[in-house]
Amino acid sequence: MSAAAFALALGAAFLHALWNLLLARESDPEPATAIAICASVVVFAPVAAAVWDVDPRVWPFVAVTSLLQLVYFALLATAYRRAELSFVYPIARGLAPVLVLLVGVVVLGTGATAAQAVGVCLVGVGILLVRCLGGERDVAGGALAIAIASSIAAYTLVDKSGIQYASPIVYLELGMAPTALGALLLVAALPSGGARLRAAVRPTPAIAGVISFVAYALVLAALERAPAASVAAVRETSVLIVAALAASTLGERVSRARLAGAALVVGGIALLVV
């Protein structure tokens, strides 16, 4: 993994942690998430137009990634309403690179090193600690986190191929525009959806959306320079950032076991790039 790709992925990790913290603080996360997506699309539309570079072969990838991103954001908003950020985030982000690696091994036949195998085990142990092994367990929150991880792994693999046919910002704009429309329609269909959307038109969700766009643009730029598993692994150092900040910013009770679990997840992810 080149130094440039590493720097891009690490920057994405910090920004990803930040926008998740902002959205997790929202009292009504579904409309806030929809507004965040829309804000990112609107703000970066002129930039995408200015650097427009699209190969017609990109459209199937845009269609698939748009659907996967919509599923991801819907699951994320639901999870943040039902469970704590310091619980959902390490599981979702920790499992994602493991799934990317497993798909590479099982489907693509890329093989795995001994270090990667140990990394998978560390991630597994870390997730068990995050889930407060031996204590209270959030089954619904855990299921949502696993579903989120699956969607992350899916769009990461799709985007690794799709990014060959458009520049990062253009590719992301093309993928997020249908996602924004879909998110608005989904929230509008909820009880009092229109009123909830109007209430969510505030600076914080909009800022979160812009940050999320920049974060994933950095990821796509890194994907141009390094394997998908490596990029996903460095990016997920945001797991430890979120676990460390959730207590001070969200008032969550981040136990030593949960913090240790997040640290093990990060350590396991680091081994996945070996």
Side-chain angles (χ1 to χ4, degrees):
M1 191 177 192
S2 68
F6 179 81
L8 288 166
L10 188 61
F14 280 96
L15 292 179
H16 197 277
L18 178 57
W19 75 256
N20 274 269
L21 285 165
L22 290 174
L23 284 184
R25 296 180 63 179
E26 292 293 308
S27 58
D28 197 2
E30 290 87 354
T33 300
I35 295 302
I37 301 170
C38 291
S40 69
V41 170
V42 170
V43 168
F44 285 95
V47 180
V51 297
W52 188 263
D53 179 19
V54 175
D55 186 302
R57 290 173 289 181
V58 78
W59 297 112
F61 297 98
V62 167
V64 175
T65 196
S66 296
L67 179 59
L68 291 171
Q69 291 278 4
L70 181 58
V71 171
Y72 163 69
F73 280 110
L75 290 169
L76 193 70
T78 302
Y80 287 165
R81 178 178 292 279
R82 296 173 176 268
E84 292 185 337
L85 175 67
S86 59
F87 174 84
V88 172
Y89 196 93
I91 297 175
R93 306 309 305 189
L95 275 179
V98 172
L99 294 175
V100 169
L101 176 65
L102 291 177
V103 170
V105 172
V106 176
V107 179
L108 305 179
T110 56
T113 65
Q116 288 173 328
V118 173
V120 170
C121 294
L122 286 179
V123 170
V125 173
I127 288 172
L128 286 176
L129 287 174
V130 169
R131 293 195 64 206
C132 298
L133 189 63
E136 183 181 354
R137 301 177 190 177
D138 184 351
V139 176
L144 283 168
I146 293 171
I148 292 169
S150 300
S151 64
I152 293 168
Y155 72 64
T156 298
L157 289 167
V158 170
D159 293 346
K160 174 62 178 175
S161 298
I163 196 61
Q164 303 174 62
Y165 306 114
S167 60
I169 291 180
V170 174
Y171 181 84
L172 186 53
E173 183 73 16
L174 290 174
M176 293 303 293
T179 302
L181 177 60
L184 286 176
L185 293 175
L186 285 177
V187 175
L190 297 174
S192 303
R196 292 167 65 187
L197 280 171
R198 288 190 293 273
V201 181
R202 294 180 294 102
T204 298
I207 291 170
V210 172
I211 293 173
S212 73
F213 193 103
V214 174
Y216 200 56
L218 293 179
V219 170
L220 292 177
L223 286 172
E224 290 184 310
R225 297 165 172 81
S230 299
V231 172
V234 176
R235 180 191 183 191
E236 306 317 336
T237 54
S238 58
V239 167
L240 194 55
I241 300 170
V242 164
L245 295 179
S248 59
T249 61
L250 302 176
E252 296 182 3
R253 295 182 177 180
V254 181
S255 66
R256 291 180 180 179
R258 185 172 292 184
L259 191 58
L264 280 177
V265 166
V266 173
I269 291 171
L271 287 176
L272 295 181
V273 304
V274 176

